[in-house]
């Protein structure tokens, strides 16, 4: 990556690295409707350096847009909204390719579905239910990712839709270090045995790495307990007492570190249930059309069953700890050597599988295999229901539970009412509450529609709060800039996760409740 680009995107490169930035710069994103929600979403992506964007909007700028969209001005009134927003975004980052299409998204969805095949991802904002269902089918057929974003008064939603999303670099906030203290390999055991915990030199004693202390203590414990490690609360307490018995001074930080990390010795052998579910997935039966991810998972499954002895490849890094420099460097080398050996074994299996399924054995790079090995314990596979499936048959018990749960009742209520206002608009050619004179009548109509929706999916309509129905009418389908900016921020964050294939994207419908300032995810 060029030095100028690195300086320009320095802060974000620290989060998703060169590989993530390269994926962003290759991406071609389409935005449907460039009102405040769409404009705010795309602004964040343009500033982040997405490769190219296409704005689709057939409307003209009107006076009302000046109050909630900072990307248009008085001079643009009566002109193409897509054109002015496109020009504004281009000024923010001239490295991004930007173009616009002066046509309504509805027209493209209905008459030119092939238009969407050219994009990496489509962001659909302010679209009603029937159009979303059609667009979702188009995007899935073309293997294009879809992110739905909508703001409506003081509420908003974000939803992702695609067949399957695989994440290698999930980057969890908290994850147990891969030190294998519960299952040390011969070289680590040999290194630990060569160090005497009863050494007379106080400096050496205070600077013996806690990894060594725990390997020795665990072996001693196992020798006294039939080869088993501590499992019960009482046994874990006794194991910590064993570690403390090695201390010759109360201020030995390395032994305090060993006591704090003692639980790592009791970690379960083998792979996690989450990872086991992935390696046992039917997609592991790979063929020539299988994505690289599943080829790598197939190789991982073979590795775990053979060279790994039930364990995934070692990550190869160790945390900071109190230690003599010589000990620490030698430990690093031992962990790195084991990780490299595991990676070589994985690479051999990947090449063999590729050859077996009729693909070029070098189709997956060594760097990609190494990155996979480093993150093998943290893989994620997310499969999304189609929007049509969710709307026609949501998980009724879950929806009912959300509606009756005090913490989730507003979010679930808004979820139902988003569908209700779209059905209202289909029936009356306008959204509820647009005209003050019709407010009372609109509240009654919207309530009847919401009750019908809940009845259709098998939920009790009494759980829907009447105050929410009134509020939804009072919103009058307005896009408030503060809400749009927040919803757009959430949507753009999910877009970046999807494009970079880093971090875990949401797997439900995100609802923002501006009345209580709550954000919640509904799994329906």
């Amino acid at each position: 990556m060029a030095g100028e680009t690195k300086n320009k995107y320095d802060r974000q490169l620290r989060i998703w690295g060169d590989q993530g930035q390269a994926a962003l710069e290759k991406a071609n994103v389409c935005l449907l409707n460039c009102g405040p929600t769409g404009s705010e979403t795309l602004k964040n992506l343009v500033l982040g350096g997405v490769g190219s964007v296409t704005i689709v909007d057939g409307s003209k700028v009107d006076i009302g847009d000046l109050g909630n969209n900072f990307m248009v001005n008085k001079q643009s009134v009566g002109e193409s909204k897509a054109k002015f927003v496109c020009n504004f975004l281009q000024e923010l980052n001239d490295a991004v390719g930007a173009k616009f299409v002066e046509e309504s998204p509805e027209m493209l969805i209905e008459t030119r579905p092939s238009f969407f095949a050219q994009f990496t991802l489509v962001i659909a904002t302010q679209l009603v239910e029937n159009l979303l269902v059609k667009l979702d089918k188009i995007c899935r057929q073309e293997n294009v990712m879809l992110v739905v974003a909508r703001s409506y008064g003081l509420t908003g939603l974000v939803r992702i839709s695609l067949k399957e999303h695989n994440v290698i670099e999930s980057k969890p906030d908290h994850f147990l270090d891969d030190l294998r203290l519960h299952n040390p390999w011969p070289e680590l055991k040999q290194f630990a045995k060569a160090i005497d915990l009863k050494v007379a030199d106080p400096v050496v004693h205070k600077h013996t790495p806690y990894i060594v202390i725990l390997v020795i203590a665990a072996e001693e414990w196992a020798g006294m307990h039939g080869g088993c490690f501590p499992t019960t609360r009482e046994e874990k307490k006794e194991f910590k007492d064993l570690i403390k018995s090695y201390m010759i001074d109360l201020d030995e930080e390395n032994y305090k570190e060993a006591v704090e990390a003692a639980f790592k010795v009791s970690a379960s052998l083998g792979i996690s249930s989450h990872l086991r579910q992935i390696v046992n997935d039917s997609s592991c039966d790979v063929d020539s059309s299988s994505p690289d991810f599943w080829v790598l998972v197939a190789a991982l499954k073979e590795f775990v069953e053979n060279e790994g002895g039930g364990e995934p490849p070692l990550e190869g890094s160790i945390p900071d700890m109190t230690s003599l420099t010589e000990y620490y460097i030698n430990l690093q080398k031992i962990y790195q050597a084991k990780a490299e050996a595991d990676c070589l074994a994985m690479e051999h299996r990947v090449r063999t599988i590729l050859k077996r399924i009729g693909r070029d054995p070098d189709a997956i790079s060594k760097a990609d295999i190494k990155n996979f090995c480093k993150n093998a314990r943290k893989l994620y596979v997310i499969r999304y229901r189609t929007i049509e499936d969710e709307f026609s048959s949501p998980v009724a018990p879950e929806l009912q539970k959300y509606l009756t749960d005090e913490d989730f009742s507003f979010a679930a209520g808004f979820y139902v009412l988003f569908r209700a206002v779209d059905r209202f608009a289909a029936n009356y050619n306008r959204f509820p509450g647009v005209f003050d004179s019709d407010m009372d009548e609109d509240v009654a109509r919207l309530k009847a529609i919401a009750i019908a929706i809940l009845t259709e999916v098998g939920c009790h309509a009494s759980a829907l709060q009447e105050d929410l129905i009134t509020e939804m009418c009072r919103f009058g389908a307005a896009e408030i800039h503060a809400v749009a900016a927040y919803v757009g921020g959430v949507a753009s964050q999910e877009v970046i996760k999807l494009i970079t294939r880093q971090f875990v994207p949401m797997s439900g419908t995100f609802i923002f409740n501006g009345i209580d300032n709550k954000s919640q995810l509904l799994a329906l």
Side-chain angles (χ1 to χ4, degrees):
M1 184 176 287
E4 184 182 343
T5 303
K6 279 198 169 185
N7 290 334
K8 185 175 185 177
Y9 301 123
D10 177 66
R11 284 185 294 177
Q12 63 201 48
L13 283 170
R14 297 166 193 259
I15 300 172
W16 52 70
D18 291 349
Q19 194 173 351
Q21 189 63 34
L24 264 183
E25 291 175 4
K26 289 176 185 173
N28 185 7
V29 175
C30 176
L31 171 69
L32 302 184
N33 291 318
C34 57
T37 307
S39 297
E40 288 292 334
T41 305
L42 207 55
K43 175 201 72 178
N44 298 328
L45 299 176
V46 167
L47 289 172
V50 70
S52 57
V53 298
T54 300
I55 299 173
V56 178
D57 195 320
S59 66
K60 306 293 184 184
V61 179
D62 62 34
I63 293 293
D65 292 322
L66 304 184
N68 65 2
N69 194 336
F70 294 153
M71 298 179 202
V72 296
N73 54 34
K74 287 183 179 179
Q75 288 71 39
S76 64
V77 173
E79 300 294 332
S80 164
K81 189 186 294 184
K83 177 182 177 181
F84 270 85
V85 171
C86 184
N87 291 340
F88 182 92
L89 293 173
Q90 188 77 77
E91 289 177 14
L92 293 179
N93 190 346
D94 58 9
V96 175
K99 57 184 179 179
F100 62 93
V101 176
E102 287 186 71
E103 198 167 338
S104 75
E106 180 178 3
M107 187 63 68
L108 283 177
I109 292 169
E110 298 284 5
T111 63
R112 291 171 55 198
S114 60
F115 170 82
F116 298 99
Q118 62 186 294
F119 300 107
T120 309
L121 182 145
V122 173
I123 304 167
T125 66
Q126 307 305 103
L127 287 188
V128 294
E129 182 176 312
N130 68 314
L131 290 178
L132 279 179
V133 169
K134 291 176 183 177
L135 179 62
D136 186 33
K137 288 179 180 177
I138 294 167
C139 288
R140 283 172 180 261
Q141 187 174 345
E142 301 292 350
N143 286 320
V144 174
M145 297 181 281
L146 174 64
V147 174
V148 177
R150 189 172 183 183
S151 58
Y152 194 104
L154 292 177
T155 185
L157 68 77
V158 177
R159 189 195 189 281
I160 295 168
S161 186
L162 65 155
K163 292 176 184 176
E164 178 180 291
H165 184 69
N166 307 314
V167 184
I168 295 174
E169 296 182 66
S170 60
K171 301 184 178 180
D173 291 333
H174 305 288
F175 211 81
L176 191 65
D177 296 318
D178 191 15
L179 300 179
R180 302 289 167 91
L181 298 176
H182 61 295
N183 189 16
W185 62 99
E187 291 81 3
L188 179 58
K189 282 183 177 180
Q190 186 179 349
F191 177 74
K193 282 181 180 178
I195 296 175
D196 184 7
L197 293 188
K198 296 178 181 178
V199 64
D201 188 336
V203 175
V204 175
H205 197 271
K206 286 183 178 181
H207 291 84
T208 300
Y210 80 74
I211 288 177
V212 171
I213 296 169
L214 288 175
V215 170
I216 294 172
E219 189 168 353
E220 183 177 337
W221 174 277
M224 297 185 295
H225 294 82
C228 298
F229 289 143
T231 53
T232 66
R233 185 173 182 177
E234 187 59 34
E235 285 178 342
K236 290 175 182 178
K237 183 178 180 298
E238 290 175 13
F239 181 65
K240 288 181 179 180
D241 291 338
L242 173 63
I243 296 168
K244 291 174 184 176
S245 71
Y246 300 142
M247 297 175 71
I248 59 175
D249 203 338
L250 292 175
D251 68 344
E252 292 183 309
E253 286 299 322
N254 56 332
Y255 281 88
K256 291 177 183 177
E257 290 170 359
V259 170
E260 287 176 4
F263 70 95
K264 297 177 182 179
V265 169
S266 303
S268 301
L269 289 171
I271 60 177
S272 67
S273 58
H274 171 78
L275 185 55
R276 187 170 301 282
Q277 190 175 355
I278 294 174
V279 299
N280 289 335
D281 192 284
S282 60
S283 296
C284 277
D285 298 327
V286 293
D287 56 34
S288 59
S289 62
S290 296
D292 289 354
F293 175 85
W294 286 110
V295 173
L296 289 163
V297 172
L300 173 64
K301 184 177 184 178
E302 291 183 5
F303 176 91
V304 170
E305 293 170 349
N306 294 280
E307 297 91 346
E311 300 280 359
L314 186 74
E315 289 181 23
S317 60
I318 58 175
D320 290 336
M321 63 191 74
T322 303
S323 171
L324 291 175
T325 302
E326 179 187 352
Y327 284 170
Y328 189 82
I329 291 173
N330 286 337
L331 260 183
Q332 274 187 322
K333 288 178 179 177
I334 290 168
Y335 274 85
Q336 287 169 358
K338 168 67 171 166
E340 286 169 10
D342 286 355
C343 188
L344 281 173
M346 269 288 291
E347 184 180 359
H348 175 71
R349 292 198 171 275
V350 170
R351 307 287 179 226
T352 302
I353 291 172
L354 287 169
K355 187 175 181 180
R356 187 173 71 229
I357 62 178
R359 290 180 58 188
D360 179 358
D362 296 319
I364 301 176
S365 70
K366 189 168 185 174
D368 286 343
I369 296 170
K370 186 175 182 180
N371 187 50
F372 183 88
C373 291
K374 185 179 177 183
N375 294 283
R377 296 189 304 143
K378 307 163 191 171
L379 305 178
Y380 265 85
V381 175
I382 308 170
R383 294 184 174 113
Y384 296 88
R385 297 178 72 190
T386 66
I387 292 177
E388 182 178 37
D389 186 33
E390 181 184 318
F391 284 165
S392 61
S393 55
V395 185
E398 283 297 308
L399 180 56
Q400 189 68 53
K401 187 173 77 174
Y402 285 136
L403 285 166
T404 53
D405 186 314
E406 187 177 346
D407 288 335
F408 282 88
S409 60
F410 268 36
F414 279 133
Y415 174 84
V416 173
L417 289 170
F418 266 114
R419 296 194 59 197
V421 296
D422 285 348
R423 195 171 293 188
F424 184 106
N427 292 342
Y428 302 103
N429 293 316
R430 63 175 178 84
F431 287 103
V434 172
F435 303 114
D436 290 343
S437 58
D438 298 329
M439 186 64 71
D440 291 341
E441 188 177 4
D442 284 358
V443 170
R445 288 171 172 171
L446 187 62
K447 180 179 178 180
I449 293 171
I451 289 172
I453 290 171
L454 285 170
T455 304
E456 286 169 13
V457 300
C459 290
H460 300 299
S462 59
L464 186 62
Q465 299 186 38
E466 296 218 13
D467 287 350
L468 278 188
I469 300 171
T470 304
E471 286 301 312
M472 206 68 173
C473 287
R474 289 181 63 235
F475 294 159
E479 274 190 271
I480 300 170
H481 181 264
V483 175
Y486 181 78
V487 172
V490 173
S492 57
Q493 173 180 276
E494 297 307 307
V495 169
I496 289 171
K497 290 179 186 177
L498 291 170
I499 291 174
T500 61
R501 292 189 176 273
Q502 296 183 25
F503 302 95
V504 182
M506 62 175 66
S507 56
T509 300
F510 172 91
I511 302 287
F512 171 63
N513 166 13
I515 297 174
D516 291 335
N517 285 322
K518 274 187 178 179
S519 299
Q520 291 167 308
L521 198 63
L522 306 180
L524 298 168

